[in-house]
Amino acid sequence: RTAAAPPQGAAEHFLGRRHGGFRVRGSKRKDGDESWHQVAGHRRPQPSFQRRGPGGGASYDDLALRRGLVAKGVLLYSGPPALPLPNRDRPDALLWQQAFYWVTAALSAWCFVYTTNMSISCLVGAWRMRRDVEVNWHAKLLAHPDNCPCMHFVFLPNYLEDQGMLLVTLQNLARSPLARDSMYVVLAMEEREGQAGRDKAAALIDETRHLFADINATFHPAGLPCDLPGKSSNVQWAYKQVLQRFAPRLNHIDAAHVFLHCSDADSLLHPQYLSAVTYEALCTPIEERVWRFWMPQPLQLRNLFSSPSFTRVTGYATFLTEMAALTNPTFPGPAICFSTYSTTLALAWRVGGWDADVIAEDHHMFCKSFFASIWEQLEEQGSGGTDSTGQARVSGSEVRVLPVYLPVLSFMVESEDGWLASVHARFVQARRHSQGLAEISYCLLQHMKLLRSRHARRLAPAAHARILSISFKMSLLHLEAHVHALASVMAGLLVFVSAASWVLTLGPSAVFQTLTASGIERVLSLQSWVGVRWAVCVIFAPLPFLFGLMSITTFIVLRDTLEGKFSRDPAQATEIAPSALAAPHVQESARGPGGLTWWQKVRLFAMIHCDYNNGGLFSMIGYGLLPGCLAAWSLMIDCGKGFQYVVGHKPIAA
């Protein structure tokens, strides 16, 4: 469309008009001139540059003028469209768009703080783990003045697990110096597995009974009332069976000297772990010991290189999150039990063991014990001392999760049917883990119950703060981080669509000339970016730094794992042979005492960095946000009763 004939030279006429939502210096606009400036959302006719005859003003070459104006930083076209499209006739559209960018920017700022703290705390935890694997904890235990006979019950809940993998787990447990005298292994089987499960348990017991003080199997029945099939109900059944079978001995031993270890079928504990837990427990006053959990450092790295990239990212996130929480339990919240942990029989007796109607047994056991401690203190202080206000005060729960800086190695989910099947298997596992959303409501309901009780005034502000910190911590793990990932991806798509539309409108050549002449500042000064340009910078600017920092932290942990620095047993002072694997149970472990070569280290870091950059955000959406939405819907509709517990696929060997 050709504009009306200008009253003066075309160049002067063009510079006196308004284009793309901004004015050129010295420009003037005539009222009613809608052919050159129209409201956003309608078609904006582009000015045409035509040669004019002698009577129509100065003649010029349109291409030369275009190049000259572009070189001076003047955009000839309507400029980039809005982001995605604020309409001047609809200020609410612009408001909602800006609100979205600023909310995403706030989430990004918080994730920047949280991720930086997590990476630094994980580095400190990795250093402490390298330090503690060199300690002979069993020798320290024997030299402890309060050392006395203890009992260690190791629960291995499993269902449809490979017999060879279970045998490797049992043989690894037998490496503990306490295995022959103090370790009682419980194979927590499911009756649903049928005769094959009984035969598998019998074969494992016959092959390893000489390695432990005792090993037996329990079979969790199906169809019990208020019983959801899963790890929690299976462990609770095994726990009750242990109490019945060992009642005569348990009646003659202090419950604070009986330790319960809940592990997974593929988890390989460090040989010194049980000795370290016993030593740390004996160093803790008994009144505090009965409210303590101990937890090793989880490393899901046994099948590191054969797992899909998206699955590897979740494995990285697991040890980063848990190691950071154990190292720095004050920010953003306290450490919570995860997967493999230990406690005393005294604590299990006080809370009635595990609950059979939950899926997330680790989180729920911690939360249940946390509130049990508060209720017990309130009851005990009902007739006790008072503070200045005349009321006894409870400052918080006595439950703590203490770190044991020794590793526990396990598999990531992986299917033998190929890459796509492995990705689906990890989604199924993430769906199960997302049932932990129920613990957020559990904490909030327990808090409301405390507020409505007659003891509400006895709770100090610190107690309320600690309760809310647990709810906040679980919300952060299950909700906030995943919502931030989705918001960042959506913001990136909106910016990409806007930029692509601008390039297609102006033309690649003109865009390149504009950027080279005026730089990116010219683009950011357009009205389309007004009010959101800083928000967009906050959203995307930290990502390279965060991915780089997490890549460095992850590389250090993976390098030490592959070089066998976390697998050493100081009680076995043997040198690694030049051709022997430094970490026999970790895939593609280094050979010999020399560790990885420089080229292997470069490849390892490149793999980690590519995993984070290519699949970090999408893994959080696919394995976090989507399963979380499904879990929330299931919990809202039928309280999660319709959820089917599916065991994750694992490779038979690393």
Side-chain angles (χ1 to χ4, degrees), residues 254 256-257 281-282 284-291 350:
D254 189 346
H257 291 153
L282 293 178
T284 306
I286 192 168
E287 62 273 8
E288 298 179 5
R289 188 191 314 166
V290 297
W291 290 113
R350 292 192 178 198

Side-chain angles (χ1 to χ4, degrees), residues 285-596:
I286 192 168
E287 62 273 8
E288 298 179 5
R289 188 191 314 166
V290 297
W291 290 113
R292 292 295 182 265
F293 290 94
W294 292 269
M295 182 174 154
Q297 310 298 315
L299 301 177
Q300 298 177 344
L301 303 175
R302 292 181 63 183
N303 57 331
L304 173 66
F305 294 96
S306 60
S307 299
S309 173
F310 296 121
T311 305
R312 282 200 299 268
V313 172
T314 62
Y316 304 156
T318 297
F319 72 73
L320 285 173
T321 302
E322 301 303 328
M323 194 179 299
L326 291 169
T327 305
N328 182 13
T330 58
F331 179 84
I336 302 175
C337 295
F338 175 79
S339 184
T340 300
Y341 54 93
S342 305
T343 188
T344 61
L345 180 61
L347 187 149
W349 262 347
R350 292 192 178 198
V351 302
W354 289 258
D355 285 347
D357 58 349
V358 298
I359 297 297
E361 125 282 342
D362 41 15
H363 282 22
H364 186 76
M365 185 61 173
F366 170 83
C367 296
K368 176 184 177 180
S369 304
F370 181 90
F371 286 101
S373 172
I374 295 178
W375 284 109
E376 185 171 304
Q377 291 181 76
L378 291 174
E379 294 295 336
E380 290 177 352
Q381 293 186 8
S383 58
T386 59
D387 61 5
S388 59
T389 62
Q391 296 291 335
R393 308 291 283 179
V394 175
S395 59
S397 176
E398 297 180 359
V399 172
R400 300 288 188 276
V401 178
L402 301 181
V404 178
Y405 288 103
L406 295 175
V408 53
L409 294 169
S410 60
F411 285 114
M412 288 178 279
V413 173
E414 181 184 354
S415 175
E416 298 178 354
D417 297 330
W419 184 89
L420 189 60
S422 296
V423 171
H424 177 263
R426 179 63 185 91
F427 178 83
V428 172
Q429 185 191 49
R431 173 66 180 84
R432 184 178 79 239
H433 291 169
S434 297
Q435 292 294 117
L437 281 169
E439 303 312 311
I440 301 177
S441 59
Y442 176 82
C443 291
L444 296 177
L445 290 174
Q446 281 282 3
H447 195 190
M448 294 182 62
K449 187 177 179 181
L450 286 169
L451 294 175
R452 297 179 60 183
S453 69
R454 59 188 177 90
H455 303 297
R457 294 184 179 180
R458 302 182 188 274
L459 286 174
H464 296 287
R466 187 163 176 81
I467 292 172
L468 294 177
S469 70
I470 294 177
S471 301
F472 174 74
K473 173 71 175 293
M474 290 190 290
S475 300
L476 175 66
L477 296 177
H478 290 285
L479 298 174
E480 189 272 342
H482 306 144
V483 172
H484 167 253
L486 177 63
S488 298
V489 172
M490 291 178 61
L493 290 176
L494 292 177
V495 172
F496 173 79
V497 170
S498 176
S501 177
W502 177 54
V503 171
L504 292 176
T505 302
L506 190 58
S509 177
V511 169
F512 177 76
Q513 293 176 357
T514 302
L515 292 176
T516 54
S518 302
I520 192 65
E521 293 83 2
R522 183 66 176 175
V523 179
L524 294 177
S525 66
L526 298 178
Q527 186 179 0
S528 299
W529 295 90
V530 170
V532 299
R533 57 174 176 260
W534 288 112
V536 172
C537 292
V538 172
I539 294 172
F540 298 107
L543 291 181
F545 171 79
L546 293 180
F547 286 154
L549 183 60
M550 289 191 297
S551 298
I552 294 173
T553 305
T554 304
F555 169 76
I556 293 174
V557 175
L558 264 61
R559 181 201 61 191
D560 291 349
T561 302
L562 293 171
E563 292 181 347
K565 295 178 181 178
F566 294 152
S567 304
R568 295 173 182 172
D569 183 3
Q572 305 292 334
T574 57
E575 292 291 336
I576 302 176
S579 60
L581 294 174
H585 298 293
V586 180
Q587 195 176 60
E588 296 192 19
S589 165
R591 291 186 177 273
L596 299 175

Side-chain angles (χ1 to χ4, degrees), residues 99-317:
F100 167 75
Y101 279 109
W102 281 111
V103 169
T104 306
L107 290 173
S108 298
W110 163 248
C111 284
F112 174 80
V113 175
Y114 169 73
T115 305
T116 303
N117 170 78
M118 178 183 67
S119 299
I120 296 175
S121 300
C122 187
L123 283 175
V124 176
W127 176 81
R128 292 178 179 175
M129 188 156 57
R130 289 188 63 177
R131 176 198 64 190
D132 286 3
V133 294
E134 301 292 342
V135 177
N136 191 337
W137 292 97
H138 189 65
K140 296 184 67 173
L141 174 62
L142 295 178
H144 195 280
D146 296 332
N147 184 32
C148 60
C150 298
M151 299 180 69
H152 294 266
F153 290 94
V154 180
F155 295 97
L156 294 177
N158 65 95
Y159 175 61
L160 298 177
E161 300 285 6
D162 180 74
Q163 182 174 334
M165 184 185 68
L166 287 170
L167 180 60
V168 172
T169 302
L170 292 173
Q171 291 173 344
N172 179 76
L173 287 174
R175 297 172 59 198
S176 171
L178 299 175
R180 293 293 298 272
D181 300 325
S182 305
M183 187 185 298
Y184 300 81
V185 180
V186 182
L187 295 174
M189 316 293 292
E190 290 282 357
E191 198 176 68
R192 295 175 293 153
E193 200 167 344
Q195 187 59 38
R198 294 185 177 273
D199 294 340
K200 178 170 58 178
L204 291 171
I205 292 173
D206 290 340
E207 193 166 355
T208 60
R209 67 168 69 251
H210 64 286
L211 301 175
F212 308 103
D214 183 79
I215 180 172
N216 70 298
T218 62
F219 298 90
H220 174 223
L224 296 177
C226 300
D227 187 286
L228 291 178
K231 184 178 178 181
S232 186
S233 58
N234 194 351
V235 173
Q236 175 66 0
W237 179 264
Y239 166 72
K240 292 181 177 179
Q241 298 298 309
V242 164
L243 294 182
Q244 294 179 5
R245 181 180 178 187
F246 294 92
R249 296 192 58 182
L250 295 176
N251 290 333
H252 295 87
I253 188 173
D254 189 346
H257 291 153
V258 179
F259 297 91
L260 309 179
H261 308 274
C262 186
S263 185
D264 288 334
D266 63 327
S267 296
L268 302 182
L269 292 167
H270 191 275
Q272 295 282 326
Y273 173 73
L274 268 65
S275 300
V277 169
T278 309
Y279 177 82
E280 295 288 353
L282 293 178
C283 293
T284 306
I286 192 168
E287 62 273 8
E288 298 179 5
R289 188 191 314 166
V290 297
W291 290 113
R292 292 295 182 265
F293 290 94
W294 292 269
M295 182 174 154
Q297 310 298 315
L299 301 177
Q300 298 177 344
L301 303 175
R302 292 181 63 183
N303 57 331
L304 173 66
F305 294 96
S306 60
S307 299
S309 173
F310 296 121
T311 305
R312 282 200 299 268
V313 172
T314 62
Y316 304 156

